[in-house]
Amino acid sequence: MPWLGFGTLIPDKALTISATRDALEAGFRHFDSAERYLNESEVGEALQAGLTAGNITREDIFVTTKLWNTNHRPERVEPAFEASLKRLQLDYLDLYLIHTPFAFQPGDDQDPRDQNGNVIYDPEVTLLDTWRAMERLVDGGKCRAIGLSDITLKDLIPLYEAARIKPAVVQVESHPYLPETELLEFCREKGIVFLAFAPLGHGMRPGLLEDPVILAIAARIGKTPAQVLLAWALQRGTAILTTPKTAARAKENFDISPLPDDAFDEINGIKTRQRLNQVVSTGVPGFIPKRNLDEQIQ
């Protein structure tokens, strides 16, 4: 799996196509999608355009997508996987993740709520039940590897110990304000790839891109704040996802070089602690716009 990946959480479908094409042109080869993003078809369209152009092959790219919470029941896992493959226009998937450890009420509504607006969870299925169905996908040959997203170390350990096929990747929010050091150390020990999303703070402002430590380092070494943050993440041994939406940003985010040791240590010394996405507490992604939810249930 390429250590620098392109995340496709982009609400606008036309922009999804152009940004994915620009990322491919800039050199990105890992593309991270999800059933929940409602744009797998657009990601697939852009990737197919790149493949048919003739300069890259399917084996050159690494494609990830995710099983949504409403499909956790074992009998729903394979149909959901096949539907994602069809939308992405692929014959196999490099990596399939359980999007969150939370099972929602099964059905077509991806955001099931009761009359009070509370999420309706599914008490009839466990995370291990879902994982067993994921393992069978690997056995079937169309899925090369499986993993988990938005999971805490506390929930990961028992799943890891019970798994026949161990998680290959764990994808979680991580950046200097949320280093997730214990989880990273566990992943290193077990040979699991730690894949960080929101390494730039999901563009929230004020935030990481305006942090005085980051700004000072960027000025000192002649890099942008984004390049500094991405370099720090790679240097500490995590794979990363970033979502540049223009060709210029894609080139910038792909142009990463190692930080001087003193700069790396300065970033490690940042004391601010902030989680930007509360999905680990509820299973409800914090970065998907409300209008995206409304479109899905109409």
Side-chain angles (χ1 to χ4, degrees), residues 7-56:
T8 63
L9 177 49
I10 303 171
D12 182 87
K13 295 183 184 300
L15 183 57
T16 297
I17 295 171
S18 63
T20 302
R21 284 178 174 171
D22 288 340
L24 197 60
E25 180 67 25
F28 285 86
R29 293 295 180 265
H30 177 196
F31 296 86
D32 177 271
S33 186
E35 174 188 353
R36 188 67 187 87
Y37 301 165
L38 305 175
N39 63 356
E40 286 175 314
S41 296
E42 287 71 29
V43 173
E45 179 181 332
L47 293 179
Q48 285 303 315
L51 293 173
T52 55
N55 56 339
I56 60 170

mmCIF file of all heavy atoms in Angstrom, residues 7-56:
data_model
loop_
_atom_site.group_PDB
_atom_site.id
_atom_site.type_symbol
_atom_site.label_atom_id
_atom_site.label_comp_id
_atom_site.label_asym_id
_atom_site.label_seq_id
_atom_site.Cartn_x
_atom_site.Cartn_y
_atom_site.Cartn_z
ATOM 1 N N GLY A 7 -7.680 10.680 -0.209
ATOM 2 C CA GLY A 7 -8.986 10.426 0.366
ATOM 3 C C GLY A 7 -10.078 11.062 -0.467
ATOM 4 O O GLY A 7 -9.943 12.224 -0.884
ATOM 5 N N THR A 8 -11.161 10.342 -0.717
ATOM 6 C CA THR A 8 -12.173 10.809 -1.670
ATOM 7 C C THR A 8 -13.450 11.316 -0.996
ATOM 8 O O THR A 8 -14.512 11.308 -1.631
ATOM 9 C CB THR A 8 -12.532 9.698 -2.669
ATOM 10 O OG1 THR A 8 -13.129 8.594 -1.963
ATOM 11 C CG2 THR A 8 -11.290 9.222 -3.405
ATOM 12 N N LEU A 9 -13.368 11.760 0.250
ATOM 13 C CA LEU A 9 -14.556 12.330 0.903
ATOM 14 C C LEU A 9 -14.781 13.739 0.355
ATOM 15 O O LEU A 9 -14.368 14.753 0.923
ATOM 16 C CB LEU A 9 -14.391 12.359 2.421
ATOM 17 C CG LEU A 9 -15.528 12.988 3.228
ATOM 18 C CD1 LEU A 9 -16.893 12.441 2.814
ATOM 19 C CD2 LEU A 9 -15.312 12.787 4.715
ATOM 20 N N ILE A 10 -15.449 13.789 -0.809
ATOM 21 C CA ILE A 10 -15.731 15.044 -1.508
ATOM 22 C C ILE A 10 -17.214 15.032 -1.862
ATOM 23 O O ILE A 10 -17.651 14.224 -2.682
ATOM 24 C CB ILE A 10 -14.880 15.176 -2.789
ATOM 25 C CG1 ILE A 10 -13.385 15.073 -2.456
ATOM 26 C CG2 ILE A 10 -15.182 16.491 -3.496
ATOM 27 C CD1 ILE A 10 -12.486 14.987 -3.672
ATOM 28 N N PRO A 11 -18.029 15.887 -1.247
ATOM 29 C CA PRO A 11 -19.483 15.838 -1.475
ATOM 30 C C PRO A 11 -19.907 16.080 -2.915
ATOM 31 O O PRO A 11 -20.865 15.493 -3.398
ATOM 32 C CB PRO A 11 -20.028 16.932 -0.552
ATOM 33 C CG PRO A 11 -18.978 17.111 0.495
ATOM 34 C CD PRO A 11 -17.679 16.860 -0.199
ATOM 35 N N ASP A 12 -19.198 16.956 -3.638
ATOM 36 C CA ASP A 12 -19.572 17.297 -4.999
ATOM 37 C C ASP A 12 -19.087 16.214 -5.969
ATOM 38 O O ASP A 12 -17.899 15.905 -6.028
ATOM 39 C CB ASP A 12 -18.958 18.650 -5.378
ATOM 40 C CG ASP A 12 -19.355 19.097 -6.765
ATOM 41 O OD1 ASP A 12 -20.415 19.742 -6.904
ATOM 42 O OD2 ASP A 12 -18.626 18.766 -7.716
ATOM 43 N N LYS A 13 -20.004 15.667 -6.744
ATOM 44 C CA LYS A 13 -19.663 14.537 -7.605
ATOM 45 C C LYS A 13 -18.732 14.931 -8.749
ATOM 46 O O LYS A 13 -17.783 14.197 -9.075
ATOM 47 C CB LYS A 13 -20.941 13.882 -8.125
ATOM 48 C CG LYS A 13 -21.777 13.246 -7.014
ATOM 49 C CD LYS A 13 -23.001 12.538 -7.550
ATOM 50 C CE LYS A 13 -23.875 11.985 -6.436
ATOM 51 N NZ LYS A 13 -23.196 11.011 -5.582
ATOM 52 N N ALA A 14 -18.977 16.075 -9.375
ATOM 53 C CA ALA A 14 -18.104 16.523 -10.462
ATOM 54 C C ALA A 14 -16.694 16.798 -9.945
ATOM 55 O O ALA A 14 -15.698 16.461 -10.599
ATOM 56 C CB ALA A 14 -18.682 17.766 -11.130
ATOM 57 N N LEU A 15 -16.616 17.395 -8.759
ATOM 58 C CA LEU A 15 -15.309 17.678 -8.168
ATOM 59 C C LEU A 15 -14.597 16.383 -7.787
ATOM 60 O O LEU A 15 -13.368 16.298 -7.879
ATOM 61 C CB LEU A 15 -15.467 18.581 -6.941
ATOM 62 C CG LEU A 15 -14.176 19.031 -6.253
ATOM 63 C CD1 LEU A 15 -13.255 19.750 -7.232
ATOM 64 C CD2 LEU A 15 -14.490 19.935 -5.058
ATOM 65 N N THR A 16 -15.351 15.376 -7.365
ATOM 66 C CA THR A 16 -14.752 14.073 -7.062
ATOM 67 C C THR A 16 -13.999 13.552 -8.279
ATOM 68 O O THR A 16 -12.861 13.079 -8.176
ATOM 69 C CB THR A 16 -15.832 13.051 -6.659
ATOM 70 O OG1 THR A 16 -16.468 13.473 -5.464
ATOM 71 C CG2 THR A 16 -15.217 11.680 -6.436
ATOM 72 N N ILE A 17 -14.618 13.639 -9.458
ATOM 73 C CA ILE A 17 -13.993 13.134 -10.683
ATOM 74 C C ILE A 17 -12.737 13.924 -11.022
ATOM 75 O O ILE A 17 -11.666 13.346 -11.257
ATOM 76 C CB ILE A 17 -15.000 13.183 -11.851
ATOM 77 C CG1 ILE A 17 -16.177 12.226 -11.590
ATOM 78 C CG2 ILE A 17 -14.305 12.813 -13.165
ATOM 79 C CD1 ILE A 17 -17.308 12.366 -12.588
ATOM 80 N N SER A 18 -12.842 15.237 -11.024
ATOM 81 C CA SER A 18 -11.681 16.053 -11.416
ATOM 82 C C SER A 18 -10.551 15.937 -10.400
ATOM 83 O O SER A 18 -9.373 15.839 -10.775
ATOM 84 C CB SER A 18 -12.094 17.515 -11.599
ATOM 85 O OG SER A 18 -12.564 18.084 -10.386
ATOM 86 N N ALA A 19 -10.881 15.934 -9.100
ATOM 87 C CA ALA A 19 -9.839 15.857 -8.070
ATOM 88 C C ALA A 19 -9.146 14.494 -8.091
ATOM 89 O O ALA A 19 -7.928 14.409 -7.897
ATOM 90 C CB ALA A 19 -10.449 16.120 -6.696
ATOM 91 N N THR A 20 -9.914 13.436 -8.318
ATOM 92 C CA THR A 20 -9.312 12.103 -8.389
ATOM 93 C C THR A 20 -8.389 12.000 -9.598
ATOM 94 O O THR A 20 -7.283 11.456 -9.512
ATOM 95 C CB THR A 20 -10.408 11.021 -8.452
ATOM 96 O OG1 THR A 20 -11.259 11.136 -7.307
ATOM 97 C CG2 THR A 20 -9.798 9.624 -8.467
ATOM 98 N N ARG A 21 -8.815 12.546 -10.715
ATOM 99 C CA ARG A 21 -7.953 12.548 -11.909
ATOM 100 C C ARG A 21 -6.679 13.356 -11.659
ATOM 101 O O ARG A 21 -5.572 12.950 -12.041
ATOM 102 C CB ARG A 21 -8.707 13.141 -13.098
ATOM 103 C CG ARG A 21 -9.746 12.214 -13.720
ATOM 104 C CD ARG A 21 -10.472 12.908 -14.856
ATOM 105 N NE ARG A 21 -11.372 12.022 -15.556
ATOM 106 C CZ ARG A 21 -12.247 12.407 -16.480
ATOM 107 N NH1 ARG A 21 -12.326 13.697 -16.800
ATOM 108 N NH2 ARG A 21 -13.024 11.543 -17.086
ATOM 109 N N ASP A 22 -6.824 14.518 -11.009
ATOM 110 C CA ASP A 22 -5.655 15.360 -10.719
ATOM 111 C C ASP A 22 -4.699 14.645 -9.769
ATOM 112 O O ASP A 22 -3.471 14.752 -9.922
ATOM 113 C CB ASP A 22 -6.101 16.688 -10.107
ATOM 114 C CG ASP A 22 -6.779 17.609 -11.109
ATOM 115 O OD1 ASP A 22 -6.584 17.411 -12.317
ATOM 116 O OD2 ASP A 22 -7.512 18.522 -10.671
ATOM 117 N N ALA A 23 -5.245 13.940 -8.784
ATOM 118 C CA ALA A 23 -4.404 13.203 -7.838
ATOM 119 C C ALA A 23 -3.638 12.098 -8.560
ATOM 120 O O ALA A 23 -2.439 11.889 -8.317
ATOM 121 C CB ALA A 23 -5.259 12.618 -6.723
ATOM 122 N N LEU A 24 -4.302 11.413 -9.458
ATOM 123 C CA LEU A 24 -3.660 10.357 -10.237
ATOM 124 C C LEU A 24 -2.527 10.950 -11.078
ATOM 125 O O LEU A 24 -1.427 10.401 -11.147
ATOM 126 C CB LEU A 24 -4.706 9.694 -11.125
ATOM 127 C CG LEU A 24 -4.394 8.332 -11.745
ATOM 128 C CD1 LEU A 24 -4.125 7.286 -10.667
ATOM 129 C CD2 LEU A 24 -5.550 7.897 -12.624
ATOM 130 N N GLU A 25 -2.789 12.103 -11.681
ATOM 131 C CA GLU A 25 -1.791 12.765 -12.514
ATOM 132 C C GLU A 25 -0.598 13.240 -11.682
ATOM 133 O O GLU A 25 0.564 13.204 -12.149
ATOM 134 C CB GLU A 25 -2.424 13.960 -13.234
ATOM 135 C CG GLU A 25 -1.497 14.736 -14.142
ATOM 136 C CD GLU A 25 -1.046 13.944 -15.355
ATOM 137 O OE1 GLU A 25 -1.766 13.009 -15.771
ATOM 138 O OE2 GLU A 25 0.040 14.257 -15.885
ATOM 139 N N ALA A 26 -0.867 13.652 -10.432
ATOM 140 C CA ALA A 26 0.203 14.149 -9.563
ATOM 141 C C ALA A 26 1.089 13.028 -9.036
ATOM 142 O O ALA A 26 2.188 13.290 -8.538
ATOM 143 C CB ALA A 26 -0.397 14.917 -8.387
ATOM 144 N N GLY A 27 0.615 11.800 -9.125
ATOM 145 C CA GLY A 27 1.419 10.668 -8.671
ATOM 146 C C GLY A 27 0.793 9.807 -7.594
ATOM 147 O O GLY A 27 1.364 8.786 -7.204
ATOM 148 N N PHE A 28 -0.369 10.217 -7.078
ATOM 149 C CA PHE A 28 -1.046 9.398 -6.069
ATOM 150 C C PHE A 28 -1.432 8.055 -6.684
ATOM 151 O O PHE A 28 -1.925 7.993 -7.818
ATOM 152 C CB PHE A 28 -2.308 10.099 -5.552
ATOM 153 C CG PHE A 28 -2.050 11.231 -4.611
ATOM 154 C CD1 PHE A 28 -1.799 12.514 -5.084
ATOM 155 C CD2 PHE A 28 -2.062 11.028 -3.232
ATOM 156 C CE1 PHE A 28 -1.563 13.563 -4.215
ATOM 157 C CE2 PHE A 28 -1.825 12.071 -2.355
ATOM 158 C CZ PHE A 28 -1.578 13.347 -2.843
ATOM 159 N N ARG A 29 -1.242 6.983 -5.902
ATOM 160 C CA ARG A 29 -1.617 5.652 -6.373
ATOM 161 C C ARG A 29 -2.510 4.901 -5.381
ATOM 162 O O ARG A 29 -2.992 3.819 -5.694
ATOM 163 C CB ARG A 29 -0.354 4.822 -6.680
ATOM 164 C CG ARG A 29 0.445 5.356 -7.874
ATOM 165 C CD ARG A 29 -0.335 5.244 -9.152
ATOM 166 N NE ARG A 29 0.403 5.738 -10.332
ATOM 167 C CZ ARG A 29 0.282 6.961 -10.825
ATOM 168 N NH1 ARG A 29 -0.542 7.847 -10.250
ATOM 169 N NH2 ARG A 29 0.950 7.329 -11.884
ATOM 170 N N HIS A 30 -2.709 5.450 -4.202
ATOM 171 C CA HIS A 30 -3.652 4.870 -3.240
ATOM 172 C C HIS A 30 -4.891 5.762 -3.201
ATOM 173 O O HIS A 30 -4.783 6.971 -2.949
ATOM 174 C CB HIS A 30 -3.021 4.777 -1.845
ATOM 175 C CG HIS A 30 -3.966 4.262 -0.796
ATOM 176 N ND1 HIS A 30 -3.714 4.396 0.559
ATOM 177 C CD2 HIS A 30 -5.165 3.618 -0.881
ATOM 178 C CE1 HIS A 30 -4.715 3.860 1.240
ATOM 179 N NE2 HIS A 30 -5.606 3.376 0.383
ATOM 180 N N PHE A 31 -6.059 5.171 -3.429
ATOM 181 C CA PHE A 31 -7.317 5.910 -3.436
ATOM 182 C C PHE A 31 -8.263 5.289 -2.424
ATOM 183 O O PHE A 31 -8.598 4.113 -2.522
ATOM 184 C CB PHE A 31 -7.904 5.924 -4.847
ATOM 185 C CG PHE A 31 -7.038 6.663 -5.823
ATOM 186 C CD1 PHE A 31 -5.995 6.012 -6.464
ATOM 187 C CD2 PHE A 31 -7.218 8.022 -6.041
ATOM 188 C CE1 PHE A 31 -5.156 6.689 -7.328
ATOM 189 C CE2 PHE A 31 -6.383 8.716 -6.906
ATOM 190 C CZ PHE A 31 -5.351 8.050 -7.548
ATOM 191 N N ASP A 32 -8.672 6.101 -1.458
ATOM 192 C CA ASP A 32 -9.497 5.636 -0.346
ATOM 193 C C ASP A 32 -10.922 6.145 -0.506
ATOM 194 O O ASP A 32 -11.164 7.357 -0.495
ATOM 195 C CB ASP A 32 -8.902 6.134 0.977
ATOM 196 C CG ASP A 32 -9.749 5.752 2.171
ATOM 197 O OD1 ASP A 32 -10.670 6.520 2.536
ATOM 198 O OD2 ASP A 32 -9.504 4.676 2.744
ATOM 199 N N SER A 33 -11.853 5.222 -0.660
ATOM 200 C CA SER A 33 -13.248 5.572 -0.862
ATOM 201 C C SER A 33 -14.095 4.938 0.239
ATOM 202 O O SER A 33 -13.578 4.374 1.191
ATOM 203 C CB SER A 33 -13.698 5.099 -2.251
ATOM 204 O OG SER A 33 -15.008 5.530 -2.534
ATOM 205 N N ALA A 34 -15.416 5.047 0.102
ATOM 206 C CA ALA A 34 -16.333 4.443 1.063
ATOM 207 C C ALA A 34 -17.737 4.431 0.486
ATOM 208 O O ALA A 34 -18.143 5.378 -0.202
ATOM 209 C CB ALA A 34 -16.336 5.210 2.392
ATOM 210 N N GLU A 35 -18.451 3.370 0.775
ATOM 211 C CA GLU A 35 -19.875 3.313 0.431
ATOM 212 C C GLU A 35 -20.599 4.551 0.955
ATOM 213 O O GLU A 35 -21.449 5.140 0.291
ATOM 214 C CB GLU A 35 -20.459 2.037 1.049
ATOM 215 C CG GLU A 35 -21.950 1.868 0.931
ATOM 216 C CD GLU A 35 -22.460 0.684 1.745
ATOM 217 O OE1 GLU A 35 -21.641 -0.083 2.289
ATOM 218 O OE2 GLU A 35 -23.691 0.542 1.827
ATOM 219 N N ARG A 36 -20.218 4.985 2.151
ATOM 220 C CA ARG A 36 -20.894 6.093 2.832
ATOM 221 C C ARG A 36 -20.699 7.435 2.148
ATOM 222 O O ARG A 36 -21.510 8.353 2.317
ATOM 223 C CB ARG A 36 -20.410 6.177 4.287
ATOM 224 C CG ARG A 36 -21.178 7.173 5.133
ATOM 225 C CD ARG A 36 -22.613 6.690 5.306
ATOM 226 N NE ARG A 36 -23.451 7.666 5.956
ATOM 227 C CZ ARG A 36 -24.098 8.638 5.320
ATOM 228 N NH1 ARG A 36 -23.965 8.783 4.015
ATOM 229 N NH2 ARG A 36 -24.869 9.472 5.984
ATOM 230 N N TYR A 37 -19.631 7.583 1.382
ATOM 231 C CA TYR A 37 -19.369 8.865 0.735
ATOM 232 C C TYR A 37 -20.294 9.129 -0.442
ATOM 233 O O TYR A 37 -20.350 10.258 -0.942
ATOM 234 C CB TYR A 37 -17.912 8.947 0.257
ATOM 235 C CG TYR A 37 -16.863 8.798 1.329
ATOM 236 C CD1 TYR A 37 -15.540 8.555 0.987
ATOM 237 C CD2 TYR A 37 -17.193 8.879 2.687
ATOM 238 C CE1 TYR A 37 -14.560 8.400 1.964
ATOM 239 C CE2 TYR A 37 -16.219 8.719 3.669
ATOM 240 C CZ TYR A 37 -14.909 8.474 3.289
ATOM 241 O OH TYR A 37 -13.940 8.320 4.247
ATOM 242 N N LEU A 38 -20.954 8.080 -0.928
ATOM 243 C CA LEU A 38 -21.933 8.210 -2.017
ATOM 244 C C LEU A 38 -21.319 8.699 -3.322
ATOM 245 O O LEU A 38 -21.986 9.307 -4.146
ATOM 246 C CB LEU A 38 -23.086 9.142 -1.596
ATOM 247 C CG LEU A 38 -23.818 8.769 -0.303
ATOM 248 C CD1 LEU A 38 -24.844 9.831 0.054
ATOM 249 C CD2 LEU A 38 -24.476 7.401 -0.431
ATOM 250 N N ASN A 39 -20.018 8.413 -3.499
ATOM 251 C CA ASN A 39 -19.380 8.837 -4.752
ATOM 252 C C ASN A 39 -18.439 7.771 -5.305
ATOM 253 O O ASN A 39 -17.525 8.079 -6.076
ATOM 254 C CB ASN A 39 -18.642 10.167 -4.558
ATOM 255 C CG ASN A 39 -17.494 10.068 -3.561
ATOM 256 O OD1 ASN A 39 -17.266 9.023 -2.946
ATOM 257 N ND2 ASN A 39 -16.763 11.162 -3.377
ATOM 258 N N GLU A 40 -18.656 6.514 -4.936
ATOM 259 C CA GLU A 40 -17.801 5.454 -5.463
ATOM 260 C C GLU A 40 -17.865 5.405 -6.994
ATOM 261 O O GLU A 40 -16.855 5.132 -7.653
ATOM 262 C CB GLU A 40 -18.214 4.096 -4.893
ATOM 263 C CG GLU A 40 -17.811 3.888 -3.436
ATOM 264 C CD GLU A 40 -18.348 2.581 -2.881
ATOM 265 O OE1 GLU A 40 -19.544 2.285 -3.099
ATOM 266 O OE2 GLU A 40 -17.570 1.861 -2.220
ATOM 267 N N SER A 41 -19.036 5.656 -7.565
ATOM 268 C CA SER A 41 -19.168 5.620 -9.031
ATOM 269 C C SER A 41 -18.284 6.671 -9.685
ATOM 270 O O SER A 41 -17.656 6.415 -10.731
ATOM 271 C CB SER A 41 -20.627 5.835 -9.434
ATOM 272 O OG SER A 41 -21.441 4.779 -8.973
ATOM 273 N N GLU A 42 -18.229 7.852 -9.083
ATOM 274 C CA GLU A 42 -17.397 8.927 -9.632
ATOM 275 C C GLU A 42 -15.909 8.603 -9.474
ATOM 276 O O GLU A 42 -15.106 8.874 -10.379
ATOM 277 C CB GLU A 42 -17.735 10.255 -8.961
ATOM 278 C CG GLU A 42 -19.074 10.846 -9.376
ATOM 279 C CD GLU A 42 -20.279 10.086 -8.827
ATOM 280 O OE1 GLU A 42 -20.169 9.479 -7.738
ATOM 281 O OE2 GLU A 42 -21.335 10.087 -9.495
ATOM 282 N N VAL A 43 -15.538 8.039 -8.333
ATOM 283 C CA VAL A 43 -14.145 7.617 -8.143
ATOM 284 C C VAL A 43 -13.788 6.573 -9.191
ATOM 285 O O VAL A 43 -12.730 6.635 -9.830
ATOM 286 C CB VAL A 43 -13.936 7.065 -6.720
ATOM 287 C CG1 VAL A 43 -12.537 6.460 -6.572
ATOM 288 C CG2 VAL A 43 -14.136 8.156 -5.677
ATOM 289 N N GLY A 44 -14.687 5.610 -9.392
ATOM 290 C CA GLY A 44 -14.454 4.577 -10.388
ATOM 291 C C GLY A 44 -14.319 5.144 -11.785
ATOM 292 O O GLY A 44 -13.448 4.716 -12.568
ATOM 293 N N GLU A 45 -15.148 6.113 -12.102
ATOM 294 C CA GLU A 45 -15.079 6.745 -13.426
ATOM 295 C C GLU A 45 -13.721 7.407 -13.641
ATOM 296 O O GLU A 45 -13.105 7.269 -14.710
ATOM 297 C CB GLU A 45 -16.204 7.775 -13.566
ATOM 298 C CG GLU A 45 -16.210 8.513 -14.886
ATOM 299 C CD GLU A 45 -17.323 9.543 -14.996
ATOM 300 O OE1 GLU A 45 -18.368 9.364 -14.347
ATOM 301 O OE2 GLU A 45 -17.146 10.534 -15.738
ATOM 302 N N ALA A 46 -13.255 8.133 -12.639
ATOM 303 C CA ALA A 46 -11.970 8.821 -12.759
ATOM 304 C C ALA A 46 -10.809 7.833 -12.865
ATOM 305 O O ALA A 46 -9.880 8.029 -13.654
ATOM 306 C CB ALA A 46 -11.770 9.744 -11.558
ATOM 307 N N LEU A 47 -10.858 6.766 -12.068
ATOM 308 C CA LEU A 47 -9.786 5.775 -12.116
ATOM 309 C C LEU A 47 -9.769 5.055 -13.465
ATOM 310 O O LEU A 47 -8.702 4.808 -14.035
ATOM 311 C CB LEU A 47 -9.941 4.769 -10.976
ATOM 312 C CG LEU A 47 -9.727 5.318 -9.565
ATOM 313 C CD1 LEU A 47 -9.943 4.220 -8.532
ATOM 314 C CD2 LEU A 47 -8.331 5.914 -9.409
ATOM 315 N N GLN A 48 -10.945 4.730 -13.978
ATOM 316 C CA GLN A 48 -11.008 4.065 -15.282
ATOM 317 C C GLN A 48 -10.461 4.963 -16.382
ATOM 318 O O GLN A 48 -9.798 4.492 -17.312
ATOM 319 C CB GLN A 48 -12.444 3.656 -15.590
ATOM 320 C CG GLN A 48 -12.930 2.450 -14.809
ATOM 321 C CD GLN A 48 -12.061 1.221 -15.012
ATOM 322 O OE1 GLN A 48 -11.678 0.893 -16.134
ATOM 323 N NE2 GLN A 48 -11.724 0.544 -13.926
ATOM 324 N N ALA A 49 -10.721 6.265 -16.282
ATOM 325 C CA ALA A 49 -10.177 7.202 -17.269
ATOM 326 C C ALA A 49 -8.656 7.173 -17.245
ATOM 327 O O ALA A 49 -7.995 7.198 -18.290
ATOM 328 C CB ALA A 49 -10.687 8.612 -16.988
ATOM 329 N N GLY A 50 -8.093 7.107 -16.030
ATOM 330 C CA GLY A 50 -6.643 7.032 -15.905
ATOM 331 C C GLY A 50 -6.089 5.726 -16.433
ATOM 332 O O GLY A 50 -5.030 5.695 -17.088
ATOM 333 N N LEU A 51 -6.799 4.635 -16.175
ATOM 334 C CA LEU A 51 -6.333 3.328 -16.623
ATOM 335 C C LEU A 51 -6.402 3.201 -18.142
ATOM 336 O O LEU A 51 -5.486 2.657 -18.771
ATOM 337 C CB LEU A 51 -7.171 2.217 -15.964
ATOM 338 C CG LEU A 51 -7.005 2.054 -14.453
ATOM 339 C CD1 LEU A 51 -8.005 1.036 -13.915
ATOM 340 C CD2 LEU A 51 -5.590 1.621 -14.104
ATOM 341 N N THR A 52 -7.477 3.709 -18.736
ATOM 342 C CA THR A 52 -7.625 3.582 -20.183
ATOM 343 C C THR A 52 -6.696 4.530 -20.944
ATOM 344 O O THR A 52 -6.459 4.337 -22.136
ATOM 345 C CB THR A 52 -9.084 3.849 -20.618
ATOM 346 O OG1 THR A 52 -9.501 5.133 -20.133
ATOM 347 C CG2 THR A 52 -10.014 2.793 -20.060
ATOM 348 N N ALA A 53 -6.175 5.538 -20.247
ATOM 349 C CA ALA A 53 -5.215 6.448 -20.894
ATOM 350 C C ALA A 53 -3.938 5.710 -21.276
ATOM 351 O O ALA A 53 -3.173 6.174 -22.131
ATOM 352 C CB ALA A 53 -4.893 7.628 -19.979
ATOM 353 N N GLY A 54 -3.691 4.568 -20.616
ATOM 354 C CA GLY A 54 -2.611 3.701 -21.051
ATOM 355 C C GLY A 54 -1.299 3.816 -20.313
ATOM 356 O O GLY A 54 -0.413 2.983 -20.503
ATOM 357 N N ASN A 55 -1.147 4.826 -19.441
ATOM 358 C CA ASN A 55 0.149 4.996 -18.781
ATOM 359 C C ASN A 55 0.243 4.289 -17.439
ATOM 360 O O ASN A 55 1.317 4.190 -16.851
ATOM 361 C CB ASN A 55 0.487 6.481 -18.618
ATOM 362 C CG ASN A 55 -0.596 7.232 -17.864
ATOM 363 O OD1 ASN A 55 -1.736 6.790 -17.784
ATOM 364 N ND2 ASN A 55 -0.230 8.389 -17.318
ATOM 365 N N ILE A 56 -0.890 3.789 -16.901
ATOM 366 C CA ILE A 56 -0.864 3.021 -15.659
ATOM 367 C C ILE A 56 -1.755 1.796 -15.823
ATOM 368 O O ILE A 56 -2.658 1.766 -16.657
ATOM 369 C CB ILE A 56 -1.330 3.843 -14.431
ATOM 370 C CG1 ILE A 56 -2.763 4.342 -14.628
ATOM 371 C CG2 ILE A 56 -0.381 4.984 -14.135
ATOM 372 C CD1 ILE A 56 -3.354 4.932 -13.368
#
